């Protein structure tokens, strides 16, 4: 005899099955959500490698069970290269997505805006790439930390080499926004300290992405400098180099000291137009032979193929490694006060070795590769480089206290 089953019994059984199935995905409390805001559309060369680096680290960490038993989840948003949009995205990530950690920023002015947001909202914020000194000093606050080297550190890594030239008359060229003006200010200050008789005979600060390279080169040439400091990047840098070569300003007799130019993002578009013997900071990933970096390179290319790395690749990867270490140090807590306490003085691993966040200003001691430019096989590379530890490039605690407001 067939057993009669009521509709109510079937319905209740189905609901029970649905309820059981719904419990399979990870619960919100089992996941640490990272809300990341960046200029994905306007800086795709950097952010492509950057996001890949983040995802490589997340996959590695999650494969080992996550952090404090919780998996990492990444939610990215584009800021459209606009500070107001960055703030709107941050607010949406916090209120709607309920993220645990905020991170990001490529441009200096956006990093500064997010720094202020962190202060106003009392939310932990890890600025990853924006380089402005303001982020950790003038507008620095309890809740904001910065991973990449600051403009001060970039300049500091070049000044000793610049002083060795014993050139008295210097010209400066930089974009007229926070990153550029901060870099120029640091260069003039540090050069004056180490070479009191130095003169700055010309300064050109064209609008970002709107350089009139011909008039800029003419103005610099008219001042007859003996050496040049450069902080241009991207398309501005390419136009400056092409016009400088055409007009003879950037010949063998003009030493140039240039920050970030040795990063693949800026070298590769120039191809064989690379100016030889510029002294630069950068990322010579193709010839770094340390065990930690070799392991990172192997895993990165295993996941994404034999593509070239970008500086963004190592920054993105190290961003997640810093978050992993910070959450572990907090005992798995992700409220802002717990994260701040954990990140102050935190030491963590990167492909370039151990790095830490200073307690006094929340700046990471990210080191820098400093060397000369050359062309090999039709491509720009860094040669004769050395690694400058970040902790040796930063000012003393006493000096920082004068630069940074009390929290």
């Amino acid at each position: 005899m067939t057993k009669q089953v009521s509709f109510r019994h079937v319905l209740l059984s189905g609901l029970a099955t649905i309820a059981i199935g719904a419990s399979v995905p990870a619960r919100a409390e089992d996941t640490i959500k990272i809300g990341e805001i960046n200029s994905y559309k306007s800086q795709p060369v950097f952010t492509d490698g950057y996001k890949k680096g983040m995802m490589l680290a997340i996959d590695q960490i999650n494969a080992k069970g996550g952090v404090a038993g919780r998996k990492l989840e990444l939610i990215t948003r584009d800021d459209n290269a606009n500070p107001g949009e960055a703030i709107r995205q941050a607010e949406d990530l916090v209120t709607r997505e309920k993220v645990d950690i905020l991170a990001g920023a490529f441009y200096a002015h956006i990093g500064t805006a997010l720094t202020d947001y962190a202060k106003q909202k009392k939310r932990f914020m890890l600025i990853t790439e924006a380089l402005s000194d303001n982020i950790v000093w003038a507008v620095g606050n309890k809740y904001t930390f910065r991973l990449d080297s600051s403009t001060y550190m970039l300049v500091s890594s070049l000044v000793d080499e610049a002083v060795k030239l014993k050139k008295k008359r210097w010209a400066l060229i930089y974009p007229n926004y926070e990153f550029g003006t901060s870099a120029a200010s640091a260069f003039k200050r540090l050069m004056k300290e180490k070479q009191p008789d130095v003169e700055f005979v010309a300064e050109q600060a064209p609008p970002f992405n709107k350089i009139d390279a011909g008039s800029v080169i003419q103005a610099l040439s008219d001042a007859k400098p003996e050496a040049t400091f450069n902080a241009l990047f991207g398309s501005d840098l390419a136009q400056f180099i092409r016009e400088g070569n055409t007009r003879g300003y950037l010949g063998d007799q003009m030493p140039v000291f240039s920050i970030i130019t040795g990063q693949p993002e800026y070298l590769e578009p120039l191809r064989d137009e690379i100016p030889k013997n510029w002294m630069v900071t950068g990322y010579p990933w193709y010839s770094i032979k340390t065990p930690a970096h070799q392991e990172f390179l192997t895993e990165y290319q295993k996941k994404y193929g034999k593509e070239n790395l970008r500086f963004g690749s190592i920054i993105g990867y190290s961003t997640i490694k810093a978050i992993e270490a910070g959450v572990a140090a907090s005992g798995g807590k992700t409220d802002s006060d717990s994260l701040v306490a954990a990140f102050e003085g935190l030491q963590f691993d990167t492909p370039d070795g151990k790095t830490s966040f200073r307690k006094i200003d929340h700046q990471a001691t990210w080191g820098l590769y400093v060397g000369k430019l050359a062309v090999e096989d039709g491509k720009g590379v860094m040669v004769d480089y050395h690694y400058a530890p970040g902790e040796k490039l930063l000012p003393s605690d006493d000096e920082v206290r004068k630069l940074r407001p009390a929290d």
Side-chain angles (χ1 to χ4, degrees), residues 314-382:
I314 196 171
I315 289 289
Y317 185 84
S318 299
T319 293
I320 302 302
K321 296 297 288 184
I323 290 172
E324 175 192 27
V327 173
S330 73
K333 297 177 181 177
T334 55
D335 64 280
S336 290
D337 287 336
S338 295
L339 288 172
V340 168
F343 269 74
E344 288 188 338
L346 177 73
Q347 189 175 79
F348 59 100
D349 291 316
T350 78
D352 282 335
K354 295 285 186 183
T355 299
S356 61
F357 288 101
R358 303 204 311 174
K359 185 173 183 179
I360 190 166
D361 57 8
H362 297 178
Q363 171 63 50
T365 57
W366 187 277
L368 291 164
Y369 290 95
V370 182
K372 293 182 178 179
L373 292 185
V375 177
E376 295 181 358
D377 299 324
K379 297 181 294 186
V381 295
M382 283 180 67

